[in-house]
Amino acid sequence: MLRRSRRVGAAFVGILGLGLLTAPAGAAEQQPQPVTAGALPTPQTDGIVLSMAIVGDTVYAGGHFSKARPAGVSPGGAGEVDRDNLLAFDIRTGQLLDWSPSVTSTAFESSADPGPLCDSLGDDRWRCDTVFNVTASPDESRVYVGGDFDRINDRWRSRVASFDAADRTLVNGFDPTVAGRVRALSVTEDTVYMGGAFDSVDGTDRTRLGAVSTAGELLPWNPTADATVHSISAVPAQQRTLIGGAFDSVNGQAHSALMAVDDTTGANVSWQWEAPTAEDVVTDIDTDGNGRAYFGAYNWNADGPVRFEGRGAVRIDNGATVWMDGCYGDTQSVAVSGGVVYSASHTHSCAALGAFPEDGVIDYQRLTAESTAVAGTAAANPNHVEEGDPVPALLPWLPNTDGGPADSPWQNGTWTIEASSDYVVVGGEFTTVNGTQQQSLTRFAARSVPEAVNNGPQVPFRAPDVQRQWPSGDVTIEWTGTWDAQNRAIRYEVVRVGASEPIHTVTKESWPWSRPTMRFTDTQAPDGSTEYWIRAVDADGAAIGSPRGGTDW
């Protein structure tokens, strides 16, 4: 290393880990900015949250739970109240709202276990009343829910119901009878589209897909799918309804995982996208009003090297692929806002993006953010993505949760995510957020929200290695950078103990799996024992300091 004059000092920067992570070829310099990564106080439940809808300042959440409690309170603690699979809270304050509909179902007998989202009543008797989907009408005047239930507030509501958003009362007259689970809802100005595992609506054959008017009357829309429909998204502007799920055929024609049908007739329409494998299941679909749909998936086989488990984007008008991220790790939900695709997943091994390597410092990343736009091309051939294929940018938003209770049959952690311009809300089965106890619900805020919580440079951030050089007496300070949960760039300040100002600053970008090694030579070091430490500061002002390192001569 070349030495400089004692008047200016010297610095060196290297990279630790995988090497310097660069954006994919052709990546845009300016990417959209996700919300902050520090969790805000949010109500908790004693179970799992599977779906949410943001309506104004209110978040409606549904799932499989019986209790709700304030943030920071342990199960059974102060403030815990009854909530039957539905609750609401204020998105601005995180306060639980006084809305507690009774959601239940008729008990039945079966020698076969119907699954973990049903409750055993003993003696082969069961009750299944989980809420799988919560969706608002376009004008936000109504909130629709779908699931396994057959009664709400002691009134017959067979697997689908509607609430008035103004007073949160059950809507009279909206009471279609659906024979089987409703997993997916999409609502337009005059139509409620449904998907799931049912075989009839109001006594008329409907094979996993059906529609009723907003008054509850059965409509002639009657496409068919050969397996469960998990997601549905109506796009009236393009006269299409997108459907995602575990199916291999739609209307008797071979189409796996994701397809589009006419929003009036239900007939298949032109569609280019093809699932990488027959075992792929599209779990969620969201749109951004710009003619594109974004979706996530899992693969039920989970053994082969090619599995669609990450995220993708397509054109709505013809199903042409916009990008696929090639990541592994089941994606349960996606939400789009401000040019960002937020996802609830357990992402790992995203070689096409140069991210989340196997056996890296992060096992599973359960919350991620990517750009809606293509940011470059894949540099390798991982999973179902080939070198040169378009890919999005991974964005610096890395809050995380655990996988959930030890006895969970899934250990997915996050199951649902929704976003507005100011907030991102997350639900699931997790019990911690960013290492702090918090069960099944959490929220994050944009930087413009005064209550936003930063989650900046991370620990451990180790002491620098300090060595005095002989015979010059100069002191070399070397350290490994850290990473940040909501920024790529971190400013490092070298502080000599006793000095009033940093003696050196350098700004470098990093990811958890790619952290820079930096070195600075203090050519003005005093004689004798001298100590140094490093301050790491991000663009939001969040900062941490390393322990001290020193030399004895």
Side-chain angles (χ1 to χ4, degrees):
M1 182 180 71
L2 295 175
R3 285 191 74 247
R4 294 182 181 269
S5 155
R6 288 184 63 89
R7 291 180 289 109
V8 295
F12 164 84
V13 178
I15 296 292
L16 176 74
L18 295 180
L20 180 63
L21 180 66
T22 59
E29 292 184 4
Q30 185 66 38
Q31 294 293 345
Q33 186 177 54
V35 298
T36 58
L40 293 163
T42 312
Q44 307 177 79
T45 80
D46 62 347
I48 180 172
V49 173
L50 297 172
S51 183
M52 298 177 297
I54 300 172
V55 181
D57 294 327
T58 301
V59 178
Y60 294 87
H64 187 67
F65 49 84
S66 61
K67 301 286 185 181
R69 62 188 190 275
V73 174
S74 298
E80 186 172 78
V81 294
D82 292 337
R83 288 294 185 271
D84 289 336
N85 301 329
L86 282 172
L87 62 77
F89 65 90
D90 190 308
I91 198 171
R92 301 162 301 174
T93 65
Q95 292 298 307
L96 186 68
L97 300 179
D98 187 20
W99 182 65
S100 183
S102 170
V103 181
T104 187
S105 69
T106 304
F108 64 95
E109 293 186 2
S110 174
S111 59
D113 187 338
L117 292 174
C118 296
D119 298 317
S120 172
L121 305 178
D123 299 324
D124 288 336
R125 297 180 69 248
W126 307 88
R127 175 179 291 121
C128 300
D129 54 13
T130 296
V131 174
F132 280 88
N133 193 278
V134 183
T135 299
S137 61
D139 64 1
E140 298 190 342
S141 65
R142 288 190 179 184
V143 176
Y144 294 84
V145 298
D148 283 340
F149 54 85
D150 63 21
R151 289 192 309 281
I152 294 181
N153 293 340
D154 293 324
R155 298 167 66 182
W156 180 259
R157 290 294 186 273
S158 178
R159 283 95 182 187
V160 64
S162 177
F163 293 90
D164 187 301
D167 58 12
R168 304 193 182 99
T169 58
L170 199 61
V171 173
N172 291 323
F174 185 87
D175 56 358
T177 298
V178 184
R181 176 175 291 172
V182 173
R183 291 194 69 121
L185 296 170
S186 184
V187 183
T188 67
E189 182 178 303
D190 55 12
T191 302
V192 180
Y193 295 90
M194 301 180 291
F198 51 85
D199 58 18
S200 71
V201 178
D202 287 343
T204 301
D205 289 348
R206 290 292 186 269
T207 308
R208 303 180 182 89
L209 290 161
V212 297
S213 71
T214 51
E217 298 171 346
L218 181 65
L219 297 176
W221 191 75
N222 186 24
T224 63
D226 69 341
T228 300
V229 173
H230 288 250
S231 52
I232 191 165
S233 181
V235 190
Q238 291 173 289
Q239 299 179 323
R240 292 181 166 217
T241 297
L242 310 184
I243 57 175
F247 49 80
D248 292 318
S249 71
V250 176
N251 290 327
Q253 298 181 356
H255 293 284
S256 294
L258 182 67
M259 182 51 184
V261 298
D262 187 279
D263 66 350
T264 300
T265 68
N268 290 353
V269 295
S270 60
W271 193 252
Q272 297 181 27
W273 187 87
E274 295 182 0
T277 78
E279 295 84 18
D280 298 324
V281 178
V282 167
T283 54
D284 197 18
I285 306 168
D286 199 6
T287 60
D288 63 0
N290 294 318
R292 295 180 177 183
Y294 306 87
F295 51 98
Y298 77 90
N299 181 286
W300 58 260
N301 186 16
D303 287 331
V306 176
R307 309 191 303 271
F308 178 31
E309 297 177 340
R311 278 71 55 190
V314 294
R315 285 178 49 175
I316 296 171
D317 62 350
N318 60 13
T321 299
V322 176
W323 56 256
M324 301 280 279
D325 68 10
C327 295
Y328 290 97
D330 298 350
T331 299
Q332 306 300 331
S333 182
V334 295
V336 180
S337 179
V340 179
V341 181
Y342 297 94
S343 66
S345 65
H346 57 270
T347 294
H348 61 102
S349 188
C350 291
L353 306 182
F356 305 113
E358 292 288 3
D359 303 318
V361 295
I362 293 178
D363 185 14
Y364 291 134
Q365 181 63 40
R366 302 183 189 276
L367 292 168
T368 61
E370 295 168 316
S371 62
T372 57
V374 171
T377 57
N381 298 306
N383 202 352
H384 52 80
V385 173
E386 297 183 355
E387 183 177 354
D389 283 353
V391 294
L394 180 69
L395 303 176
W397 189 66
L398 298 172
N400 216 346
T401 76
D402 68 347
D407 60 354
S408 164
W410 308 286
Q411 289 276 301
N412 282 333
T414 56
W415 280 80
T416 178
I417 191 164
E418 292 294 332
S420 68
S421 59
D422 290 331
Y423 293 93
V424 170
V425 290
V426 180
E429 59 178 320
F430 51 84
T431 60
T432 66
V433 179
N434 292 335
T436 298
Q437 294 296 314
Q438 175 68 26
Q439 187 174 6
S440 73
L441 283 166
T442 190
R443 63 193 176 106
F444 305 90
R447 288 163 174 81
S448 58
V449 175
E451 294 77 21
V453 175
N454 292 320
N455 183 7
Q458 302 291 298
V459 295
F461 183 35
R462 307 197 185 282
D465 178 61
V466 178
Q467 300 288 335
R468 190 177 292 274
Q469 306 300 312
W470 187 88
S472 68
D474 295 350
V475 174
T476 299
I477 305 100
E478 183 174 301
W479 71 99
T480 298
T482 183
W483 60 279
D484 193 289
Q486 60 188 48
N487 289 281
R488 286 277 325 263
I490 300 174
R491 184 177 78 251
Y492 297 93
E493 301 174 350
V494 179
V495 181
R496 184 199 304 138
V497 175
S500 59
E501 298 290 338
I503 61 172
H504 176 68
T505 63
V506 60
T507 298
K508 292 296 171 184
E509 293 186 344
S510 63
W511 290 107
W513 50 88
S514 179
R515 295 171 294 136
T517 297
M518 291 157 280
R519 183 182 303 134
F520 172 73
T521 298
D522 182 2
T523 59
Q524 300 291 329
D527 295 334
S529 177
T530 308
E531 291 185 311
Y532 300 82
W533 59 281
I534 312 298
R535 181 188 292 118
V537 187
D538 70 12
D540 298 305
I544 60 173
S546 74
R548 294 179 181 183
T551 178
D552 292 331
W553 66 278

